[in-house]
Amino acid sequence: MSTADLILAADFGTSGVKIGAVGPDLVPVATTVEPYPLHLPAPSHAEQIPEDWWNALARGIARLKAEIPDLAARCGAVVFTAQLCAVICAKSDGTVLRPAMVWLDKRAAPLIRKRMGGLVTLAGYNLPFLLRSIRIANGAPSHNGMDPPGKMLWLMQHEPDVFSGADHILDVKDWLLLRATGTVTTTADSANLTWLMDTRRGREGWSPKLAHHLGLTLDKLPKIVDGTEVVGGLTREAAEGLGLRADIPVVAGGGDVTATAIGSGAVADGALHLCLSTSSWVSGFYDRRVLNIFASYATVTSAIGHRPLLIATQESAGSALAWLARMQGAGTDDAALSAYYDRIGNYAADDPFFLPWLAGERSPMDEERLRGAFYGLNLRHGPEALKRAALEGVACNIRWAYDLVAKERGTRTDGPIPAVGGAAANPQLAQALADVLNRPISVGETALAGMRGAAAIAAPTLGWAGDVWQAAGRLRDGPARNFVPDPGRVAMLQDRYAELALLRKSLAKLYKRRKGKA
Protein backbone atom coordinates (compact mmCIF):
# COMPACT_ATOMS: atom_id res chain seq x y z
CA MET A 1 0.00 0.00 0.00
CA SER A 2 1.35 3.45 -0.92
CA THR A 3 2.31 5.76 1.93
CA ALA A 4 2.27 8.81 -0.36
CA ASP A 5 0.40 11.62 1.36
CA LEU A 6 2.29 14.69 0.09
CA ILE A 7 2.55 16.61 -3.16
CA LEU A 8 5.82 18.39 -3.82
CA ALA A 9 4.81 21.70 -5.47
CA ALA A 10 7.33 24.29 -6.70
CA ASP A 11 6.57 27.83 -7.88
CA PHE A 12 9.43 29.31 -9.93
CA GLY A 13 9.26 33.12 -9.92
CA THR A 14 11.64 35.78 -11.16
CA SER A 15 13.78 35.93 -8.04
CA GLY A 16 13.43 32.47 -6.53
CA VAL A 17 11.45 29.27 -6.13
CA LYS A 18 8.87 28.58 -3.43
CA ILE A 19 8.69 24.88 -2.65
CA GLY A 20 6.17 23.15 -0.44
CA ALA A 21 5.27 19.68 0.75
CA VAL A 22 1.47 19.92 0.59
CA GLY A 23 -1.00 17.59 2.29
CA PRO A 24 -4.46 16.38 1.16
CA ASP A 25 -6.12 19.48 2.66
CA LEU A 26 -3.82 21.56 0.38
CA VAL A 27 -2.19 23.11 3.42
CA PRO A 28 1.63 23.04 3.24
CA VAL A 29 3.27 20.84 5.85
CA ALA A 30 6.62 22.56 5.24
CA THR A 31 7.82 25.26 2.85
CA THR A 32 11.05 26.91 1.82
CA VAL A 33 12.21 29.62 -0.57
CA GLU A 34 15.44 29.39 -2.54
CA PRO A 35 16.72 32.44 -4.46
CA TYR A 36 18.53 32.56 -7.78
CA PRO A 37 19.94 35.51 -9.73
CA LEU A 38 18.38 37.59 -12.48
CA HIS A 39 20.99 38.91 -14.92
CA LEU A 40 20.51 42.30 -16.60
CA PRO A 41 23.52 42.43 -18.95
CA ALA A 42 22.31 45.37 -21.06
CA PRO A 43 19.33 47.75 -21.32
CA SER A 44 16.12 45.79 -21.95
CA HIS A 45 17.99 42.46 -21.53
CA ALA A 46 16.92 40.05 -18.76
CA GLU A 47 18.32 36.53 -18.52
CA GLN A 48 18.56 33.58 -16.16
CA ILE A 49 20.55 30.35 -16.15
CA PRO A 50 18.15 27.36 -16.22
CA GLU A 51 20.51 25.22 -14.11
CA ASP A 52 20.14 27.87 -11.39
CA TRP A 53 16.43 26.98 -11.20
CA TRP A 54 17.20 23.27 -10.96
CA ASN A 55 19.93 23.74 -8.36
CA ALA A 56 17.63 25.94 -6.27
CA LEU A 57 14.99 23.20 -6.44
CA ALA A 58 17.52 20.63 -5.21
CA ARG A 59 18.62 22.89 -2.34
CA GLY A 60 15.03 23.52 -1.34
CA ILE A 61 14.10 19.84 -1.31
CA ALA A 62 17.13 19.15 0.86
CA ARG A 63 15.85 21.75 3.34
CA LEU A 64 12.38 20.21 3.32
CA LYS A 65 13.87 16.77 3.99
CA ALA A 66 15.51 18.16 7.11
CA GLU A 67 11.97 18.88 8.37
CA ILE A 68 10.36 15.79 6.82
CA PRO A 69 12.97 13.01 6.86
CA ASP A 70 10.69 10.56 5.05
CA LEU A 71 9.73 13.07 2.33
CA ALA A 72 11.00 10.82 -0.48
CA ALA A 73 8.73 7.98 0.64
CA ARG A 74 5.71 10.20 1.28
CA CYS A 75 5.92 12.21 -1.98
CA GLY A 76 3.19 11.00 -4.34
CA ALA A 77 3.55 13.57 -7.11
CA VAL A 78 5.69 16.49 -8.23
CA VAL A 79 4.21 19.56 -9.94
CA PHE A 80 5.72 22.83 -11.20
CA THR A 81 4.36 26.29 -11.93
CA ALA A 82 6.59 29.04 -13.29
CA GLN A 83 6.97 32.47 -14.79
CA LEU A 84 5.78 32.69 -18.39
CA CYS A 85 7.00 34.14 -21.70
CA ALA A 86 10.59 32.90 -21.51
CA VAL A 87 12.50 31.51 -24.47
CA ILE A 88 14.95 28.67 -23.78
CA CYS A 89 16.97 27.12 -26.59
CA ALA A 90 17.50 23.50 -25.55
CA LYS A 91 18.76 20.21 -26.90
CA SER A 92 16.68 17.07 -26.47
CA ASP A 93 18.66 16.07 -23.36
CA GLY A 94 17.87 19.41 -21.68
CA THR A 95 21.23 21.06 -22.37
CA VAL A 96 20.70 24.79 -22.96
CA LEU A 97 22.57 26.70 -25.65
CA ARG A 98 22.38 30.16 -24.07
CA PRO A 99 20.87 31.80 -20.98
CA ALA A 100 17.09 31.92 -20.92
CA MET A 101 15.50 35.15 -22.14
CA VAL A 102 12.86 35.64 -19.42
CA TRP A 103 9.62 37.62 -19.48
CA LEU A 104 11.33 40.86 -18.46
CA ASP A 105 13.60 40.76 -21.53
CA LYS A 106 12.35 43.29 -24.07
CA ARG A 107 15.28 43.68 -26.41
CA ALA A 108 13.05 42.53 -29.28
CA ALA A 109 10.63 45.47 -28.95
CA PRO A 110 11.87 47.45 -32.01
CA LEU A 111 12.01 44.28 -34.09
CA ILE A 112 8.51 43.07 -33.25
CA ARG A 113 6.99 46.54 -33.67
CA LYS A 114 8.46 46.65 -37.17
CA ARG A 115 7.29 43.12 -37.99
CA MET A 116 3.77 43.81 -36.71
CA GLY A 117 3.38 47.05 -38.70
CA GLY A 118 2.24 47.61 -42.26
CA LEU A 119 0.58 50.04 -44.65
CA VAL A 120 -2.85 49.67 -43.05
CA THR A 121 -2.66 49.39 -39.27
CA LEU A 122 -4.88 49.30 -36.21
CA ALA A 123 -3.34 49.90 -32.78
CA GLY A 124 0.08 49.57 -34.44
CA TYR A 125 -0.66 46.17 -36.03
CA ASN A 126 -0.89 45.21 -39.68
CA LEU A 127 -4.67 45.05 -40.05
CA PRO A 128 -5.04 41.80 -42.06
CA PHE A 129 -2.66 39.96 -39.72
CA LEU A 130 -4.33 41.40 -36.62
CA LEU A 131 -7.78 40.27 -37.73
CA ARG A 132 -6.46 36.77 -38.48
CA SER A 133 -4.55 36.56 -35.20
CA ILE A 134 -7.55 37.72 -33.18
CA ARG A 135 -9.79 35.18 -34.85
CA ILE A 136 -7.37 32.30 -34.26
CA ALA A 137 -5.43 33.18 -31.08
CA ASN A 138 -7.60 35.90 -29.48
CA GLY A 139 -4.73 38.37 -29.61
CA ALA A 140 -1.31 39.09 -31.05
CA PRO A 141 2.29 39.49 -29.83
CA SER A 142 2.82 42.55 -27.69
CA HIS A 143 4.74 45.53 -29.02
CA ASN A 144 6.99 45.62 -25.97
CA GLY A 145 9.00 42.57 -27.03
CA MET A 146 8.30 40.37 -24.01
CA ASP A 147 6.29 37.70 -25.85
CA PRO A 148 8.17 34.68 -27.24
CA PRO A 149 7.74 35.43 -31.00
CA GLY A 150 9.77 38.63 -30.71
CA LYS A 151 12.49 36.81 -28.80
CA MET A 152 12.55 34.01 -31.36
CA LEU A 153 12.89 36.53 -34.20
CA TRP A 154 15.68 38.31 -32.30
CA LEU A 155 17.58 35.04 -31.90
CA MET A 156 17.10 34.18 -35.58
CA GLN A 157 18.57 37.55 -36.52
CA HIS A 158 21.32 37.97 -33.91
CA GLU A 159 22.20 34.40 -32.85
CA PRO A 160 21.16 32.22 -35.81
CA ASP A 161 23.52 29.35 -34.91
CA VAL A 162 22.00 29.10 -31.45
CA PHE A 163 18.44 29.14 -32.75
CA SER A 164 19.05 26.64 -35.53
CA GLY A 165 21.03 24.38 -33.18
CA ALA A 166 18.18 24.11 -30.68
CA ASP A 167 16.01 21.01 -30.80
CA HIS A 168 13.32 22.70 -28.74
CA ILE A 169 12.14 26.21 -27.83
CA LEU A 170 10.74 26.02 -24.32
CA ASP A 171 9.20 28.09 -21.55
CA VAL A 172 10.50 27.85 -17.97
CA LYS A 173 8.12 25.13 -16.80
CA ASP A 174 8.63 23.19 -20.02
CA TRP A 175 12.40 23.02 -19.47
CA LEU A 176 11.89 21.91 -15.87
CA LEU A 177 9.59 19.11 -17.04
CA LEU A 178 12.20 18.05 -19.61
CA ARG A 179 14.92 18.08 -16.94
CA ALA A 180 12.72 16.06 -14.58
CA THR A 181 11.19 13.49 -16.92
CA GLY A 182 12.95 13.63 -20.28
CA THR A 183 9.64 14.51 -22.00
CA VAL A 184 9.02 17.62 -24.11
CA THR A 185 5.65 19.18 -23.34
CA THR A 186 3.97 22.50 -22.63
CA THR A 187 0.58 23.61 -21.36
CA ALA A 188 -1.95 25.79 -23.14
CA ASP A 189 -1.20 28.97 -21.17
CA SER A 190 2.45 28.97 -22.26
CA ALA A 191 1.44 27.98 -25.79
CA ASN A 192 -1.20 30.71 -26.07
CA LEU A 193 1.29 33.40 -25.03
CA THR A 194 3.46 32.55 -28.03
CA TRP A 195 0.45 33.73 -30.08
CA LEU A 196 1.10 30.73 -32.32
CA MET A 197 -1.76 28.66 -30.87
CA ASP A 198 -5.30 28.31 -32.17
CA THR A 199 -7.46 28.88 -29.08
CA ARG A 200 -10.87 28.46 -30.70
CA ARG A 201 -13.03 25.96 -28.88
CA GLY A 202 -12.55 22.51 -30.34
CA ARG A 203 -9.55 23.62 -32.45
CA GLU A 204 -6.94 24.09 -29.74
CA GLY A 205 -3.43 23.48 -31.05
CA TRP A 206 -0.49 25.05 -32.87
CA SER A 207 -1.43 27.25 -35.85
CA PRO A 208 0.68 26.93 -39.04
CA LYS A 209 -1.02 30.08 -40.42
CA LEU A 210 0.16 32.30 -37.58
CA ALA A 211 3.64 30.80 -37.63
CA HIS A 212 3.93 31.40 -41.38
CA HIS A 213 3.02 35.08 -41.06
CA LEU A 214 5.70 35.63 -38.44
CA GLY A 215 8.34 33.71 -40.39
CA LEU A 216 8.52 30.98 -37.75
CA THR A 217 8.12 27.22 -37.86
CA LEU A 218 6.44 24.93 -35.35
CA ASP A 219 8.90 22.05 -35.46
CA LYS A 220 10.81 23.21 -32.35
CA LEU A 221 7.69 23.76 -30.21
CA PRO A 222 6.57 21.15 -27.67
CA LYS A 223 3.41 19.07 -27.54
CA ILE A 224 0.52 20.81 -25.74
CA VAL A 225 -1.00 18.81 -22.86
CA ASP A 226 -3.53 19.54 -20.12
CA GLY A 227 -2.07 20.71 -16.84
CA THR A 228 -3.50 17.70 -14.99
CA GLU A 229 -1.72 15.18 -17.22
CA VAL A 230 1.09 13.07 -15.79
CA VAL A 231 3.86 13.69 -18.33
CA GLY A 232 6.18 11.03 -16.92
CA GLY A 233 8.00 9.84 -13.86
CA LEU A 234 11.15 11.33 -12.40
CA THR A 235 14.13 9.92 -14.28
CA ARG A 236 16.76 8.13 -12.25
CA GLU A 237 19.22 10.97 -12.86
CA ALA A 238 16.71 13.64 -11.82
CA ALA A 239 15.64 11.67 -8.76
CA GLU A 240 19.24 11.26 -7.60
CA GLY A 241 19.89 14.98 -8.04
CA LEU A 242 16.78 15.91 -6.08
CA GLY A 243 17.02 13.23 -3.42
CA LEU A 244 13.67 11.68 -4.35
CA ARG A 245 12.47 8.31 -5.64
CA ALA A 246 12.66 7.57 -9.34
CA ASP A 247 9.36 7.27 -11.20
CA ILE A 248 7.40 9.62 -8.91
CA PRO A 249 4.63 10.98 -11.19
CA VAL A 250 5.32 14.47 -12.51
CA VAL A 251 2.19 16.47 -13.36
CA ALA A 252 2.28 19.01 -16.22
CA GLY A 253 1.17 21.89 -13.97
CA GLY A 254 0.78 25.35 -15.47
CA GLY A 255 2.12 28.84 -15.79
CA ASP A 256 2.08 31.19 -12.83
CA VAL A 257 -1.10 32.97 -13.96
CA THR A 258 -3.09 29.71 -14.04
CA ALA A 259 -1.71 28.39 -10.74
CA THR A 260 -2.16 31.73 -8.98
CA ALA A 261 -5.73 32.08 -10.22
CA ILE A 262 -6.53 28.63 -8.84
CA GLY A 263 -4.62 29.37 -5.64
CA SER A 264 -6.59 32.58 -5.07
CA GLY A 265 -9.76 30.50 -4.69
CA ALA A 266 -11.65 32.95 -6.95
CA VAL A 267 -12.45 30.47 -9.71
CA ALA A 268 -16.07 31.32 -10.53
CA ASP A 269 -16.68 32.95 -13.91
CA GLY A 270 -16.14 36.70 -13.66
CA ALA A 271 -14.58 36.59 -10.18
CA LEU A 272 -11.37 38.62 -10.13
CA HIS A 273 -8.23 38.46 -8.05
CA LEU A 274 -5.14 40.65 -7.88
CA CYS A 275 -1.66 39.21 -7.98
CA LEU A 276 0.97 41.53 -6.50
CA SER A 277 4.46 40.22 -6.99
CA THR A 278 7.48 41.50 -8.92
CA SER A 279 4.90 42.47 -11.53
CA SER A 280 1.14 42.52 -11.00
CA TRP A 281 -1.99 41.47 -12.80
CA VAL A 282 -5.76 41.69 -12.61
CA SER A 283 -7.14 38.29 -13.53
CA GLY A 284 -10.14 35.98 -13.51
CA PHE A 285 -11.80 33.10 -15.33
CA TYR A 286 -14.52 33.81 -17.89
CA ASP A 287 -17.03 31.70 -19.81
CA ARG A 288 -15.79 33.01 -23.17
CA ARG A 289 -12.80 34.58 -24.85
CA VAL A 290 -12.37 38.29 -24.00
CA LEU A 291 -10.18 40.80 -25.83
CA ASN A 292 -9.49 44.52 -25.48
CA ILE A 293 -6.99 45.45 -28.20
CA PHE A 294 -6.56 49.03 -27.12
CA ALA A 295 -5.96 48.17 -23.45
CA SER A 296 -3.68 45.23 -24.27
CA TYR A 297 -5.42 42.53 -22.28
CA ALA A 298 -7.24 39.35 -23.19
CA THR A 299 -8.18 35.95 -21.98
CA VAL A 300 -5.61 33.26 -22.61
CA THR A 301 -6.32 29.56 -22.67
CA SER A 302 -5.50 28.39 -19.17
CA ALA A 303 -3.61 25.19 -18.45
CA ILE A 304 -6.76 23.40 -17.22
CA GLY A 305 -9.39 22.32 -19.71
CA HIS A 306 -8.65 25.26 -22.02
CA ARG A 307 -10.75 27.46 -19.72
CA PRO A 308 -10.40 31.17 -20.67
CA LEU A 309 -8.43 33.19 -18.10
CA LEU A 310 -8.32 36.97 -18.40
CA ILE A 311 -4.96 38.58 -17.65
CA ALA A 312 -4.27 42.32 -17.51
CA THR A 313 -0.56 42.36 -16.68
CA GLN A 314 1.49 45.30 -15.44
CA GLU A 315 5.25 45.21 -15.36
CA SER A 316 6.18 46.75 -11.99
CA ALA A 317 4.53 46.40 -8.60
CA GLY A 318 6.60 44.79 -5.85
CA SER A 319 9.70 45.56 -7.91
CA ALA A 320 8.87 49.28 -7.80
CA LEU A 321 8.45 49.21 -4.02
CA ALA A 322 11.70 47.27 -3.67
CA TRP A 323 13.48 49.74 -5.96
CA LEU A 324 12.66 52.69 -3.70
CA ALA A 325 13.72 50.75 -0.60
CA ARG A 326 17.01 49.82 -2.26
CA MET A 327 17.65 53.43 -3.26
CA GLN A 328 17.38 54.40 0.40
CA GLY A 329 19.63 51.62 1.64
CA ALA A 330 16.92 49.29 2.96
CA GLY A 331 16.69 45.55 2.42
CA THR A 332 14.33 44.11 -0.17
CA ASP A 333 13.25 40.75 1.24
CA ASP A 334 9.62 40.52 2.38
CA ALA A 335 10.37 41.23 6.05
CA ALA A 336 12.66 44.17 5.28
CA LEU A 337 10.15 45.71 2.88
CA SER A 338 7.32 45.42 5.40
CA ALA A 339 9.49 47.18 7.98
CA TYR A 340 10.54 49.86 5.47
CA TYR A 341 6.94 50.72 4.55
CA ASP A 342 5.64 50.48 8.11
CA ARG A 343 6.35 54.17 8.82
CA ILE A 344 4.86 56.33 6.09
CA GLY A 345 3.23 59.19 8.00
CA ASN A 346 -0.12 60.59 6.89
CA TYR A 347 -1.20 60.94 3.29
CA ALA A 348 -1.44 64.59 2.21
CA ALA A 349 -3.11 66.39 -0.67
CA ASP A 350 0.26 67.68 -1.92
CA ASP A 351 2.04 64.32 -1.85
CA PRO A 352 4.08 63.68 -5.00
CA PHE A 353 2.80 61.36 -7.68
CA PHE A 354 4.71 58.23 -8.70
CA LEU A 355 4.51 56.42 -12.05
CA PRO A 356 5.86 52.85 -11.51
CA TRP A 357 6.87 52.31 -15.15
CA LEU A 358 10.38 51.15 -14.28
CA ALA A 359 10.32 48.41 -16.93
CA GLY A 360 7.92 49.88 -19.46
CA GLU A 361 4.28 48.85 -19.35
CA ARG A 362 2.04 46.11 -20.70
CA SER A 363 -1.57 46.94 -19.82
CA PRO A 364 -3.54 49.03 -20.43
CA MET A 365 -0.78 50.64 -22.54
CA ASP A 366 1.59 48.29 -24.32
CA GLU A 367 4.70 50.47 -24.47
CA GLU A 368 8.29 49.50 -23.68
CA ARG A 369 9.48 53.12 -23.84
CA LEU A 370 7.54 54.26 -20.75
CA ARG A 371 9.71 54.89 -17.70
CA GLY A 372 9.06 55.68 -14.05
CA ALA A 373 8.84 59.16 -12.58
CA PHE A 374 8.12 61.18 -9.45
CA TYR A 375 6.09 64.31 -10.13
CA GLY A 376 5.29 67.27 -7.89
CA LEU A 377 8.25 67.08 -5.49
CA ASN A 378 8.80 70.06 -3.18
CA LEU A 379 11.22 70.99 -0.40
CA ARG A 380 8.94 69.62 2.32
CA HIS A 381 8.93 66.11 0.91
CA GLY A 382 11.11 63.53 2.60
CA PRO A 383 11.46 59.74 2.65
CA GLU A 384 7.98 59.14 4.07
CA ALA A 385 6.35 61.18 1.29
CA LEU A 386 8.23 59.13 -1.30
CA LYS A 387 7.02 55.91 0.35
CA ARG A 388 3.42 57.14 0.29
CA ALA A 389 3.81 58.11 -3.35
CA ALA A 390 5.21 54.68 -4.25
CA LEU A 391 2.38 52.82 -2.50
CA GLU A 392 -0.29 55.05 -4.00
CA GLY A 393 1.39 54.98 -7.41
CA VAL A 394 1.43 51.19 -7.60
CA ALA A 395 -2.18 51.01 -6.40
CA CYS A 396 -3.34 53.66 -8.89
CA ASN A 397 -1.53 51.93 -11.71
CA ILE A 398 -3.43 48.73 -10.88
CA ARG A 399 -6.70 50.69 -10.85
CA TRP A 400 -5.85 51.92 -14.36
CA ALA A 401 -6.19 48.32 -15.58
CA TYR A 402 -8.85 47.22 -13.08
CA ASP A 403 -11.34 49.92 -14.12
CA LEU A 404 -11.32 48.62 -17.69
CA VAL A 405 -11.56 44.95 -16.75
CA ALA A 406 -14.45 45.69 -14.39
CA LYS A 407 -16.50 46.87 -17.38
CA GLU A 408 -16.32 43.49 -19.11
CA ARG A 409 -19.65 41.66 -19.28
CA GLY A 410 -20.06 39.22 -16.42
CA THR A 411 -17.34 40.68 -14.20
CA ARG A 412 -18.18 40.53 -10.50
CA THR A 413 -17.47 43.83 -8.77
CA ASP A 414 -19.07 43.19 -5.39
CA GLY A 415 -17.50 41.87 -2.22
CA PRO A 416 -13.84 41.58 -1.25
CA ILE A 417 -11.33 40.90 -4.01
CA PRO A 418 -8.55 38.45 -3.11
CA ALA A 419 -4.98 39.77 -3.31
CA VAL A 420 -2.18 37.23 -3.57
CA GLY A 421 1.56 37.31 -4.26
CA GLY A 422 4.43 38.34 -2.02
CA ALA A 423 3.79 42.10 -2.24
CA ALA A 424 0.18 41.62 -1.08
CA ALA A 425 1.53 40.81 2.38
CA ASN A 426 2.42 44.49 2.75
CA PRO A 427 -0.53 45.90 4.75
CA GLN A 428 0.15 49.45 3.57
CA LEU A 429 -0.16 48.39 -0.06
CA ALA A 430 -3.30 46.34 0.66
CA GLN A 431 -4.91 49.36 2.33
CA ALA A 432 -3.85 51.64 -0.53
CA LEU A 433 -5.55 49.26 -2.97
CA ALA A 434 -8.74 49.15 -0.90
CA ASP A 435 -8.84 52.96 -0.91
CA VAL A 436 -7.95 53.38 -4.58
CA LEU A 437 -10.38 50.72 -5.82
CA ASN A 438 -13.01 51.59 -3.18
CA ARG A 439 -13.46 47.87 -2.63
CA PRO A 440 -12.47 45.58 0.27
CA ILE A 441 -9.23 43.65 -0.25
CA SER A 442 -8.91 40.15 1.21
CA VAL A 443 -5.39 38.96 2.00
CA GLY A 444 -4.79 35.34 2.95
CA GLU A 445 -1.81 33.07 2.23
CA THR A 446 -0.36 35.62 -0.16
CA ALA A 447 3.07 34.27 -1.03
CA LEU A 448 1.93 30.66 -1.37
CA ALA A 449 -1.01 31.03 -3.76
CA GLY A 450 0.91 29.85 -6.84
CA MET A 451 2.39 26.88 -5.01
CA ARG A 452 -0.95 25.85 -3.50
CA GLY A 453 -2.64 26.34 -6.88
CA ALA A 454 -0.08 24.00 -8.43
CA ALA A 455 -0.82 21.45 -5.71
CA ALA A 456 -4.54 21.76 -6.52
CA ILE A 457 -3.72 20.93 -10.16
CA ALA A 458 -2.00 17.74 -9.02
CA ALA A 459 -4.60 16.83 -6.36
CA PRO A 460 -6.81 14.71 -8.70
CA THR A 461 -3.76 12.59 -9.58
CA LEU A 462 -3.68 11.30 -5.99
CA GLY A 463 -7.45 11.10 -5.69
CA TRP A 464 -7.63 14.05 -3.30
CA ALA A 465 -10.34 15.77 -5.35
CA GLY A 466 -12.67 14.97 -8.21
CA ASP A 467 -11.19 17.77 -10.30
CA VAL A 468 -9.07 20.90 -10.01
CA TRP A 469 -12.03 23.20 -9.37
CA GLN A 470 -13.22 21.09 -6.47
CA ALA A 471 -9.72 21.25 -5.01
CA ALA A 472 -9.58 25.03 -5.55
CA GLY A 473 -12.76 25.45 -3.51
CA ARG A 474 -10.81 24.44 -0.40
CA LEU A 475 -8.45 27.36 -0.89
CA ARG A 476 -11.21 29.93 -0.31
CA ASP A 477 -11.78 28.85 3.28
CA GLY A 478 -8.47 29.73 4.92
CA PRO A 479 -7.90 32.65 7.32
CA ALA A 480 -7.75 36.08 5.68
CA ARG A 481 -7.43 39.71 6.68
CA ASN A 482 -9.85 42.20 5.13
CA PHE A 483 -8.83 45.78 4.34
CA VAL A 484 -11.85 48.10 4.14
CA PRO A 485 -11.80 51.40 2.19
CA ASP A 486 -11.25 54.50 4.33
CA PRO A 487 -14.00 57.00 3.34
CA GLY A 488 -11.78 60.03 3.89
CA ARG A 489 -8.95 58.59 1.84
CA VAL A 490 -11.35 57.50 -0.91
CA ALA A 491 -12.62 61.09 -1.21
CA MET A 492 -9.07 62.50 -1.37
CA LEU A 493 -8.14 60.01 -4.06
CA GLN A 494 -10.96 61.07 -6.38
CA ASP A 495 -9.19 64.36 -7.13
CA ARG A 496 -5.69 62.88 -7.06
CA TYR A 497 -6.60 60.07 -9.43
CA ALA A 498 -8.12 62.54 -11.90
CA GLU A 499 -4.94 64.63 -11.80
CA LEU A 500 -2.82 61.51 -12.17
CA ALA A 501 -4.77 60.49 -15.28
CA LEU A 502 -3.83 63.79 -16.98
CA LEU A 503 -0.21 63.42 -15.89
CA ARG A 504 -0.07 59.83 -17.14
CA LYS A 505 -1.36 60.87 -20.56
CA SER A 506 1.18 63.71 -20.90
CA LEU A 507 4.16 61.63 -19.76
CA ALA A 508 3.22 58.77 -22.08
CA LYS A 509 3.29 61.15 -25.04
CA LEU A 510 6.75 62.39 -24.04
CA TYR A 511 8.19 58.90 -23.70
CA LYS A 512 6.71 57.74 -27.00
CA ARG A 513 8.60 60.51 -28.79
CA ARG A 514 11.91 59.04 -27.70
CA LYS A 515 13.69 57.12 -30.41
CA GLY A 516 15.24 53.68 -29.90
CA LYS A 517 15.36 51.84 -26.62
CA ALA A 518 14.79 53.51 -23.30
Side-chain angles (χ1 to χ4, degrees):
M1 180 177 296
S2 172
T3 58
D5 64 346
L6 294 174
I7 289 172
L8 188 68
D11 178 6
F12 291 82
T14 308
S15 58
V17 57
K18 302 179 184 73
I19 313 167
V22 182
D25 56 359
L26 300 184
V27 174
V29 175
T31 64
T32 188
V33 179
E34 289 293 328
Y36 39 70
L38 172 68
H39 304 284
L40 305 172
S44 297
H45 291 218
E47 299 178 342
Q48 289 184 316
I49 308 299
E51 282 295 331
D52 287 345
W53 305 326
W54 187 260
N55 292 336
L57 177 65
R59 293 195 307 271
I61 291 174
R63 290 183 185 276
L64 292 181
K65 290 177 72 175
E67 295 187 52
I68 310 173
D70 57 349
L71 176 62
R74 295 174 62 186
C75 180
V78 174
V79 62
F80 303 135
T81 181
Q83 54 180 300
L84 291 161
C85 293
V87 165
I88 302 165
C89 297
K91 303 298 284 186
S92 291
D93 64 357
T95 302
V96 296
L97 304 183
R98 71 174 319 282
M101 300 169 71
V102 297
W103 66 272
L104 196 55
D105 191 302
K106 298 176 183 175
R107 72 186 78 177
L111 178 62
I112 198 68
R113 276 199 297 266
K114 184 177 180 180
R115 180 63 67 96
M116 292 293 98
L119 293 176
V120 181
T121 63
L122 176 66
Y125 291 91
N126 173 281
L127 187 57
F129 166 73
L130 179 63
L131 295 176
R132 182 185 303 116
S133 190
I134 288 173
R135 185 180 76 253
I136 297 173
N138 197 43
S142 67
H143 290 307
N144 67 11
M146 73 173 286
D147 289 342
K151 293 166 181 164
M152 293 181 206
L153 292 170
W154 188 94
L155 287 166
M156 292 171 66
Q157 180 173 316
H158 295 278
E159 299 180 12
D161 292 343
V162 170
F163 190 82
S164 63
D167 295 322
H168 309 290
I169 301 298
L170 305 174
D171 206 344
V172 175
K173 173 184 54 59
D174 309 340
W175 181 85
L176 290 162
L177 290 173
L178 173 58
R179 188 75 163 77
T181 69
T183 59
V184 182
T185 58
T186 191
T187 48
D189 42 10
S190 286
N192 194 166
L193 288 172
T194 67
W195 304 108
L196 300 173
M197 178 186 171
D198 192 330
T199 68
R200 291 173 291 182
R201 189 167 296 175
R203 303 186 187 185
E204 293 90 354
W206 295 116
S207 170
K209 289 182 179 179
L210 295 179
H212 176 74
H213 179 87
L214 290 169
L216 298 168
T217 61
L218 302 175
D219 58 305
K220 296 180 185 292
L221 300 181
K223 175 186 176 183
I224 303 170
V225 301
D226 192 80
T228 58
E229 184 170 322
V230 175
V231 299
L234 275 182
T235 65
R236 186 168 301 280
E237 180 184 5
E240 289 176 355
L242 298 178
L244 297 173
R245 293 179 291 110
D247 296 326
I248 292 176
V250 180
V251 179
D256 54 3
V257 291
T258 295
T260 301
I262 294 168
S264 76
V267 295
D269 286 338
L272 299 179
H273 69 274
L274 305 177
C275 182
L276 312 172
S277 189
T278 300
S279 59
S280 68
W281 58 80
V282 181
S283 182
F285 291 101
Y286 281 74
D287 61 358
R288 68 196 187 283
R289 298 197 311 182
V290 175
L291 172 66
N292 187 326
I293 300 171
F294 299 102
S296 300
Y297 67 77
T299 52
V300 300
T301 304
S302 74
I304 310 302
H306 300 302
R307 190 177 177 194
L309 176 61
L310 186 146
I311 313 169
T313 302
Q314 297 183 305
E315 303 295 62
S316 298
S319 58
L321 301 182
W323 169 81
L324 180 62
R326 189 170 62 251
M327 291 303 99
Q328 296 188 6
T332 57
D333 59 64
D334 289 344
L337 281 176
S338 292
Y340 174 76
Y341 283 100
D342 186 50
R343 297 174 60 89
I344 63 171
N346 296 318
Y347 284 97
D350 71 338
D351 277 346
F353 292 96
F354 176 62
L355 284 304
W357 299 334
L358 301 178
E361 194 49 280
R362 172 77 177 221
S363 177
M365 183 181 292
D366 181 11
E367 183 52 70
E368 150 66 6
R369 290 169 292 186
L370 297 184
R371 285 297 178 265
F374 282 101
Y375 175 83
L377 293 169
N378 65 45
L379 291 173
R380 292 196 314 107
H381 291 144
E384 290 188 349
L386 296 183
K387 295 179 191 180
R388 296 194 298 270
L391 292 162
E392 181 186 280
V394 169
C396 285
N397 206 54
I398 291 169
R399 176 180 166 180
W400 188 25
Y402 172 88
D403 282 352
L404 294 168
V405 173
K407 296 176 183 177
E408 295 290 346
R409 176 172 57 86
T411 302
R412 302 185 179 192
T413 57
D414 59 323
I417 182 169
V420 298
N426 184 327
Q428 300 285 12
L429 178 59
Q431 185 61 53
L433 278 165
D435 297 337
V436 166
L437 301 181
N438 195 19
R439 183 174 175 182
I441 300 295
S442 175
V443 178
E445 293 281 356
T446 56
L448 304 182
M451 185 188 73
R452 296 181 74 194
I457 292 173
T461 300
L462 296 185
W464 294 355
D467 59 27
V468 172
W469 314 115
Q470 185 183 82
R474 303 174 194 168
L475 302 178
R476 292 193 299 265
D477 302 328
R481 180 180 178 187
N482 282 342
F483 294 82
V484 180
D486 180 317
R489 182 76 179 121
V490 170
M492 179 189 292
L493 280 165
Q494 290 179 352
D495 291 336
R496 285 184 61 80
Y497 191 79
E499 186 176 350
L500 177 63
L502 295 175
L503 172 62
R504 185 192 297 131
K505 185 176 180 179
S506 297
L507 279 178
K509 286 181 179 179
L510 287 173
Y511 281 123
K512 286 181 180 181
R513 291 174 185 168
R514 300 177 67 181
K515 296 181 180 180
K517 297 179 182 178

